[in-house]
Amino acid sequence: MARFSLLALLCTLAVLSASLLAAELKSKSCSEVRRLYVSKGFNKNDAPLHEINGDHLKICPQGYTCCSQEMEEKYSLQSKDDFKSVVSEQCNHLQVTFASRYKKFDEFFKELLENAEKSLNDMFVKTYGHLYMQNSELFKDLFVELKRYYVSGNVNLEEMLNDFWARLLERMFRLVNSQYHFTDEYLECVSKYTEQLKPFGDVPRKLKLQVTRAFVAARTFAQGLAVARDVVSKVSVVNPTTQCSQALLKMTYCSHCRGLVTVKPCYNYCSNIMRGCLANQGDLDFEWNNFIDAMLMVAERLEGPFNIESVMDPIDVKISDAIMNMQDNSVQVSQKVFQGCGPPKPLPAGRISRSISESAFSARFRPYHPEQRPTTAAGTSLDRLVTDVKEKLKQAKKFWSSLPSSICNDERMAAGNGNEDDCWNGKGKSRYLFAVTGNGLANQGNNPEVQVDTSKPDVLILRQIMALRVMTSKMKNAYNGNDVDFFDISDENSGEGSGSGCEYQQCPSEFESNATDHSGKSANEKADSAGAHAEAQPYLLTVLCILFLVMQREWR
């Protein structure tokens, strides 16, 4: 009997101890969780003072918890905002880098052209005086076309320069043969002898090669910076999928529900979630790296043989050398032209003397000394600009594949690599056991944290990949000294593409071509469409002939 009483007493004590323990666990304080929750601007009434049963939780681990249903919902939205913010923050520095370098290059190139035009005008007024003033529009037109090419690309540089030399030959031919009257038809014949007679020496050929290469490289490089800026700007705006949002909540705030407010996510756990959420961005890396390599190649050209500064700075001297060549060889040139185009009609005696006095062409060009010439534009030099950009380009390589790691290296997002045991693994404070998946969409099939549909690439990302691919091709053409067609790089929402043909003074400061939104037809599609129309024409002609014969019978 005594044994039975003792056993009953022990059982009662055990039940009481268990009840007290349960009550103690149930009443565990959530004050720190509540404080942090309120500090984010949320309603304190959402947060319990002590742990409650967690059966209502949908994403975070159930059991006793410091999170109400309202808290989980708000934490879910907060985790998405945190993710968007940290991605934007990582990309913003890169976007600002490209934007600022593009702006500096754009300012430099435009000011370089302005300086070159002013230098030529000042020198030619001083050297040729009234004679130059009478023909100054020819040189103004040259710089208008060069500026228009840089801004819009809607200029064939080779044809434009050929036209400039042909027009200059017509003007000079009149001046050195001022005793004759020349009709427009005769002068047109004269211009046909430009290539054969080489009245300006070898200057036109050399200058055409130098200007074409330098301008193509300069414009392509500046536009490459603009494309990089726009790609980063578009890709940095992320919209997490439902599966990504759930994983973000679980990683970022579910530890708070367990009261582990100071425990950060495990680094590898964070890495898997970031690679899952940024799977599409990871696919940019291959084309991005190719693009960066192509930019670096063109940068080398800008430093060397395609240096636009070394071409434009002495352009006035080169053009004047050509004029002097024409003057020195004017007799031989005139004789050969007269043989080919026929003898010109002499002016009346009274007009001859007046014409000769008005067009006396005896000035010899004397260029300024180098220290007197402008050597910089926009407060810098091309070499300094290129050196700076090359360094930034090298740093930008592999940006998209390293983005998940960069985010997880942020102490706000995850624990350090050396803290693998005391970190949040999605369930509790313990080591994270899963391996880290690779970057890119194709590698996410086995991601243990984020369910990713690998069969549906993001359309926006695909457009950026195409934009980079197109621009890389243009960079390679520019590197090889070939002219670049910019017409197929246009913003689908813009009425003016890169071939808008607007005047230099009326164009906006930035290129109209925005290569990062590419929803229009590709060049291949347009070619196919044109081919289809060409193939359809014979059939259409046959049908019309048959209809004509039928109608003839009806009329009979």
Side-chain angles (χ1 to χ4, degrees), residues 211-224:
V211 167
T212 301
R213 287 179 170 181
F215 269 76
V216 168
R219 185 177 195 274
T220 308
F221 191 76
Q223 194 175 42

Side-chain angles (χ1 to χ4, degrees), residues 182-369:
F182 298 105
T183 64
D184 290 341
E185 291 76 14
Y186 195 96
L187 290 173
E188 190 174 335
C189 178
V190 172
S191 66
K192 292 177 182 177
Y193 282 83
T194 308
E195 283 294 324
Q196 181 184 338
L197 299 177
K198 293 187 168 30
F200 300 110
D202 205 29
V203 174
R205 184 191 66 80
K206 289 181 177 178
L207 194 60
K208 180 166 63 177
L209 184 65
Q210 293 169 345
V211 167
T212 301
R213 287 179 170 181
F215 269 76
V216 168
R219 185 177 195 274
T220 308
F221 191 76
Q223 194 175 42
L225 292 172
V227 167
R229 173 202 64 194
D230 294 340
V231 166
V232 176
S233 178
K234 287 178 181 290
V235 176
S236 65
V237 180
V238 290
N239 292 302
T241 63
T242 302
Q243 292 78 12
C244 169
S245 298
Q246 291 174 354
L248 290 169
L249 167 63
K250 193 174 178 183
M251 179 188 88
T252 313
Y253 291 110
C254 284
S255 57
H256 288 213
C257 298
R258 285 294 182 90
L260 303 173
V261 293
T262 60
V263 179
K264 295 177 181 177
C266 298
Y267 183 85
N268 287 350
Y269 175 45
C270 172
S271 296
N272 272 335
I273 291 176
M274 291 304 138
R275 292 187 183 205
C277 290
L278 297 170
N280 285 286
Q281 281 78 358
D283 283 342
L284 271 172
D285 209 54
F286 179 76
E287 289 300 338
W288 176 262
N289 292 338
N290 287 341
F291 167 77
I292 295 294
D293 287 339
M295 287 283 286
L296 288 168
M297 288 167 59
V298 176
E300 289 179 8
R301 290 293 202 216
L302 288 174
E303 287 179 315
F306 299 177
N307 187 316
I308 192 172
E309 193 172 23
S310 65
V311 172
M312 292 309 298
D313 194 34
I315 195 169
D316 44 13
V317 179
K318 293 176 182 178
I319 292 175
S320 188
D321 285 344
I323 292 172
M324 292 301 107
N325 281 330
M326 170 61 188
Q327 186 183 3
D328 293 340
N329 300 307
S330 61
V331 175
Q332 300 93 311
V333 170
S334 297
Q335 287 175 349
K336 289 181 180 179
V337 169
F338 294 160
Q339 290 172 7
C341 298
K345 184 179 178 181
L347 285 171
R351 293 182 60 187
I352 290 175
S353 59
R354 185 170 68 251
S355 179
I356 291 174
S357 64
E358 288 177 354
S359 60
F361 199 78
S362 59
R364 302 299 296 183
F365 185 74
R366 296 179 301 279
Y368 291 158
H369 294 294

Side-chain angles (χ1 to χ4, degrees), residues 148-213:
R148 192 156 69 91
Y149 173 80
Y150 174 72
V151 173
S152 71
N154 190 26
V155 174
N156 185 311
L157 286 174
E158 188 169 336
E159 289 181 4
M160 182 271 291
L161 289 168
N162 287 341
D163 182 62
F164 167 75
W165 292 113
R167 290 172 64 196
L168 183 59
L169 175 59
E170 290 178 12
R171 301 292 180 93
M172 289 203 61
F173 193 79
R174 268 180 170 163
L175 291 172
V176 297
N177 295 284
S178 55
Q179 69 272 32
Y180 296 107
H181 170 71
F182 298 105
T183 64
D184 290 341
E185 291 76 14
Y186 195 96
L187 290 173
E188 190 174 335
C189 178
V190 172
S191 66
K192 292 177 182 177
Y193 282 83
T194 308
E195 283 294 324
Q196 181 184 338
L197 299 177
K198 293 187 168 30
F200 300 110
D202 205 29
V203 174
R205 184 191 66 80
K206 289 181 177 178
L207 194 60
K208 180 166 63 177
L209 184 65
Q210 293 169 345
V211 167
T212 301
R213 287 179 170 181

Side-chain angles (χ1 to χ4, degrees), residues 422-463:
D422 296 325
C423 55
W424 172 253
N425 63 10
K427 295 179 180 178
K429 182 181 177 182
S430 184
R431 178 182 286 266
Y432 182 73
L433 301 177
F434 293 102
V436 177
T437 60
N439 279 299
L441 196 62
N443 289 316
Q444 302 312 308
N446 297 320
N447 192 313
E449 305 303 334
V450 186
Q451 186 179 350
V452 180
D453 187 349
T454 57
S455 66
K456 292 183 179 179
D458 186 274
V459 175
L460 176 68
I461 299 296
L462 290 178
R463 286 179 181 171

Side-chain angles (χ1 to χ4, degrees), residues 7 53 78 126 138 152 155 159 213 254 263 266 326 349 362 380 385 392-393 401 425 449 469 498 530-531:
L7 187 60
N53 188 294
Q78 184 64 45
K126 184 177 180 179
L138 177 64
S152 71
V155 174
E159 289 181 4
R213 287 179 170 181
C254 284
V263 179
C266 298
M326 170 61 188
S362 59
T380 186
L385 284 174
K392 303 302 180 186
L393 286 169
S401 60
N425 63 10
E449 305 303 334
R469 191 172 296 162
S498 57

